[in-house]
């Protein structure tokens, strides 16, 4: 008896998913044991990219998630509601879930996974992070024997595309964003991407899996790329760096003993990356996730972070994992309740403790516009010194709006100390403004 899939949504990812399921030749043989049973859409009249018999369609999405025939509900409608309610209702009716919805999982993962564990069903989310890149299953399975130190990713293709073009063309953010929108690389409303919110959802999900606890999205520090300027990119290049929007989750270490602590840092912000860092050459719309752990060292996942085909590949791989588990259970004993496979299920109970940003130890890059007169650099250096901020380099190369442009890169310092120094520096009469402040990896 075939396993029945109820597909919620037939946009790009839904159509890509249907295409794989309807054309199983030369793919895993288990795909032949799957059938699309119903497709839930908003409008029956819309032309579709994939040929689907008309009687599979319905606009009644609730009927799909409550239908006793359906084994797996695939949610690819996106957005928070009705996606969240439909997922919860499906779980309540004993359906396994596959979703690409990072926004719902990052916000309501607690509620959804608790309900899923109570109902004994799987909720798989490979497509929610990194599009077609398999990273969720590796974190749950192959890498789970490691003690993970850090997960660092370029997990938003739109911002990576914009920053790559700013770097290549020396263009300004606003112009390149407008062009990216014209070419279809950025949404008409780019807020979730350029403000880092999409990346924050994704790193919350990755951190939860890597560090085995739940993450409160509100505790994830998030800064987007709107303030990154062509000038910063040019200075970064002179200093041997590229600027990338990084999503990071790492265990804090004791500054003195270097011992790993229980608290995590989970943050998204534009970052100066040394040119020789493995993520520095990840360009255009590509995504990559670097996982560091003990004893494995560094592993990097690279590939297409979005798009119909790649995301559908991740969705169908989750369906296949569920079907494999169901098939094993059916073969063993149809009548007893199935125990969830612990390498597929998500059973975290506690919340991870997230360190405040003021405690972060990082290097910083700061660009200051100041009057070009004697003693200014000395004053900056003295102020940083008072606040225990050690300087690695200072350059004054050009002028900007008749002001001297001074770029300072610090050694590793505590963010709280650095911010206090900047507050004082802003009050100096010789200082015009501090247009840029970026962290350095
Ligand atoms: N908007 C996302 C990006 C793709 O630009 O990477 C979906 O997660």
């Amino acid at each position: 008896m075939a396993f029945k899939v109820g597909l919620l949504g037939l946009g790009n990812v839904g159509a890509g998913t249907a295409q794989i399921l309807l054309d199983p030749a030369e793919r895993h043989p288990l795909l032949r044991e799957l059938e699309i049973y119903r497709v839930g859409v908003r409008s029956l009249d819309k032309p579709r990219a994939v040929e689907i018999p008309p009687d599979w369609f319905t606009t009644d999405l609730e009927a799909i998630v409550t239908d006793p025939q359906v084994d797996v509900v695939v949610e690819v409608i996106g957005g928070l509601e009705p996606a969240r309610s439909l997922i919860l209702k499906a779980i309540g009716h004993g359906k396994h879930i596959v979703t690409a919805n990072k926004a719902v999982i990052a916000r309501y993962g607690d509620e959804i996974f608790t309900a899923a564990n109570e109902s004994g069903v799987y909720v798989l989310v490979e497509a929610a992070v990194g599009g077609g890149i398999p990273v969720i299953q590796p974190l749950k399975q192959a890498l789970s024997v490691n003690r993970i130190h850090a997960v660092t990713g370029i997990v938003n293709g739109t911002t990576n595309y914009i920053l790559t073009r700013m770097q290549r063309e020396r263009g300004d953010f606003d112009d390149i964003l407008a062009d990216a929108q014209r070419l279809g690389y950025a949404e008409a409303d780019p807020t979730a991407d350029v403000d880092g919110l999409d990346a924050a959802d994704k790193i919350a999900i990755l951190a939860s899996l890597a560090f085995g606890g739940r993450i409160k999205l509100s505790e994830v520090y998030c800064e987007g790329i709107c303030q990154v300027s062509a000038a910063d990119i040019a200075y970064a290049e002179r200093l041997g760096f590229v600027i990338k929007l990084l999503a990071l989750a790492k265990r804090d270490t004791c500054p003195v003993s270097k011992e790993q602590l229980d608290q995590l840092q989970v943050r998204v912000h534009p970052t100066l990356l040394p040119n020789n860092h493995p993520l520095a050459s990840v360009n255009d719309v590509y995504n990559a996730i670097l996982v560091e752990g003990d004893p494995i060292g560094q592993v990097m996942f690279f590939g297409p972070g979005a798009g119909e085909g790649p995301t559908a590949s991740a969705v169908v791989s989750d369906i296949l994992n569920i079907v494999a588990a169901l098939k094993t259970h059916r073969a063993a004993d149809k009548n007893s309740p199935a125990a969830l496979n612990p390498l597929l299920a998500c059973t975290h109970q506690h919340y991870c403790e997230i360190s405040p940003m003021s405690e972060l130890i990082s290097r910083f890059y700061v660009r200051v516009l100041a009057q070009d007169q004697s003693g200014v650099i000395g004053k900056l250096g003295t102020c940083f010194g008072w606040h225990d901020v050690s300087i690695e380099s200072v350059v004054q190369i050009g002028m900007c709006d008749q002001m001297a442009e001074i770029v300072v890169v610090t050694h590793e310092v505590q963010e709280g100390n650095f911010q206090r120094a900047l507050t004082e520096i802003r009050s100096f009469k010789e200082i015009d403004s501090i247009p840029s402040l970026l962290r350095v990896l």
Side-chain angles (χ1 to χ4, degrees), residues 74-135:
V74 176
E75 183 278 305
V76 282
I77 49 180
L80 295 181
E81 285 295 352
R84 169 187 157 273
S85 302
L86 288 165
I87 289 172
L88 286 169
K89 190 160 243 180
I91 290 171
H93 282 78
K95 314 297 176 207
H96 302 277
I97 307 291
V98 173
T99 178
N101 198 325
K102 69 226 131 206
V104 162
I105 295 300
R107 281 161 192 76
Y108 304 113
D110 188 357
E111 185 183 23
I112 288 171
F113 288 112
T114 300
N117 292 334
E118 278 166 15
S119 293
V121 298
Y122 297 107
V123 176
L124 300 193
V125 302
E126 185 65 69
V129 182
I133 306 171
V135 61

Side-chain angles (χ1 to χ4, degrees), residues 219 221 250-256 258 261-267 269 353-364 388 411-420 439:
E219 293 179 352
Y221 176 81
K250 59 191 291 197
R251 248 185 227 294
D252 265 339
T253 41
C254 169
V256 182
K258 302 291 171 206
L261 304 173
D262 279 343
Q263 302 99 285
L264 303 181
Q265 304 165 16
V266 188
R267 48 197 165 96
H269 48 70
E353 193 183 329
I354 312 285
S355 310
M357 282 300 277
S358 58
E359 289 175 13
L360 173 71
I361 307 286
S362 173
R363 292 161 75 200
F364 288 89
D388 209 14
H411 285 293
E412 285 203 328
V413 300
Q414 197 177 57
E415 170 133 359
N417 290 346
F418 183 72
Q419 296 287 2
R420 277 187 285 279
R439 293 168 188 83

Side-chain angles (χ1 to χ4, degrees), residues 3-7 34-39 55-57 63-64 67-71:
F3 294 91
K4 293 186 171 53
V5 173
L7 189 55
L34 275 161
E35 70 179 50
I36 302 175
Y37 177 72
R38 283 282 178 276
V39 182
D55 59 333
W56 292 6
F57 284 103
I64 296 181
D67 189 325
Q69 294 289 321
V70 170
D71 298 294

Side-chain angles (χ1 to χ4, degrees), residues 201-349:
D201 289 348
K202 291 168 177 169
I203 196 66
I205 295 171
L206 292 176
S208 170
L209 293 167
F211 298 104
R214 292 174 175 170
I215 304 287
K216 287 201 179 97
L217 188 61
S218 57
E219 293 179 352
V220 177
Y221 176 81
C222 180
E223 206 180 288
I225 64 162
C226 303
Q227 85 288 8
V228 176
S229 69
D232 295 317
I233 287 181
Y235 274 113
E237 193 173 298
R238 276 174 184 253
L239 295 165
F241 297 97
V242 289
I243 299 181
K244 296 286 182 191
L245 182 71
L246 290 192
L248 303 101
K250 59 191 291 197
R251 248 185 227 294
D252 265 339
T253 41
C254 169
V256 182
S257 68
K258 302 291 171 206
E259 186 192 331
Q260 302 246 328
L261 304 173
D262 279 343
Q263 302 99 285
L264 303 181
Q265 304 165 16
V266 188
R267 48 197 165 96
V268 172
H269 48 70
T271 311
L272 272 75
L273 268 182
N275 282 330
N276 61 359
H277 189 280
L279 290 167
S281 52
V282 175
N283 286 323
D284 301 303
V285 292
Y286 285 100
N287 282 196
I289 298 110
L290 178 70
V291 180
E292 293 168 85
D294 179 32
I296 195 159
Q298 294 189 326
V299 181
M300 191 159 100
F301 300 85
F302 167 86
E308 170 179 326
T311 312
S313 159
V315 166
V316 181
S317 81
D318 276 350
I319 303 175
L320 212 61
N321 267 310
I322 291 173
V323 166
L326 297 183
K327 199 172 150 74
T328 315
H329 175 66
R330 272 188 193 175
D333 181 359
K334 280 184 196 163
N335 299 320
S336 69
L340 288 176
N341 173 347
L343 294 182
L344 287 180
C346 185
T347 51
H348 309 138
Q349 299 297 336

